[in-house]
Amino acid sequence: RLFFKSFNKEIINSVSNQVRSKLLSYECKVSGIVALPTRIKKFCVLRSPHIDKDSREHFEIRLYKQFLDITIDSPSIFNLLLKIEMPSGISSSIKI
């Protein structure tokens, strides 16, 4: 399994499609791109440090996650997976 995490949805979709097409060109069995639930963290911050507690700002961070299930027959393809360069903003991990 290949796991991808990112704060940007467009980047994670493009990277997962590129990896999937590359693996299909090497004739690996790839079972789709599965999107996991988006984790949303919300923060509430006071605008003024002294008074006016009613004036606040709200921020949120969204963490997108996807994974690919892969069946690999040769170790050379596994070495290829380890050498794939990801753009900045993408975290990837491999689970065997």
Side-chain angles (χ1 to χ4, degrees), residues 1-4 31-36 65-69:
R1 265 190 189 174
L2 278 172
F3 282 96
F4 301 112
S31 61
I33 300 168
V34 179
L36 296 172
K65 296 180 273 186
Q66 293 182 350
F67 73 88
L68 294 168
D69 274 336

Side-chain angles (χ1 to χ4, degrees), residues 12-96:
I12 197 169
N13 286 335
S14 67
V15 166
S16 58
N17 286 330
Q18 288 173 359
V19 170
R20 185 174 191 270
S21 63
K22 187 174 249 186
L23 288 171
L24 288 176
S25 69
Y26 284 103
E27 297 178 1
C28 296
K29 292 181 182 177
V30 179
S31 61
I33 300 168
V34 179
L36 296 172
T38 304
R39 175 172 280 173
I40 302 173
K41 287 186 179 182
K42 295 184 179 179
F43 301 96
C44 182
V45 180
L46 293 176
R47 288 186 191 185
S48 171
H50 301 294
I51 56 169
D52 198 16
K53 192 169 180 170
D54 295 334
S55 175
R56 299 178 186 202
E57 288 185 287
H58 300 278
F59 302 99
E60 70 179 29
I61 297 175
R62 293 176 177 254
L63 180 65
Y64 300 98
K65 296 180 273 186
Q66 293 182 350
F67 73 88
L68 294 168
D69 274 336
I70 305 166
T71 305
I72 299 174
D73 296 334
S74 67
S76 63
I77 297 173
F78 185 74
N79 290 334
L80 175 82
L81 284 175
L82 293 175
K83 293 179 183 177
I84 291 177
E85 262 195 56
M86 298 288 168
S88 62
I90 292 282
S91 171
S92 63
S93 62
I94 299 174
K95 286 195 177 180
I96 300 174

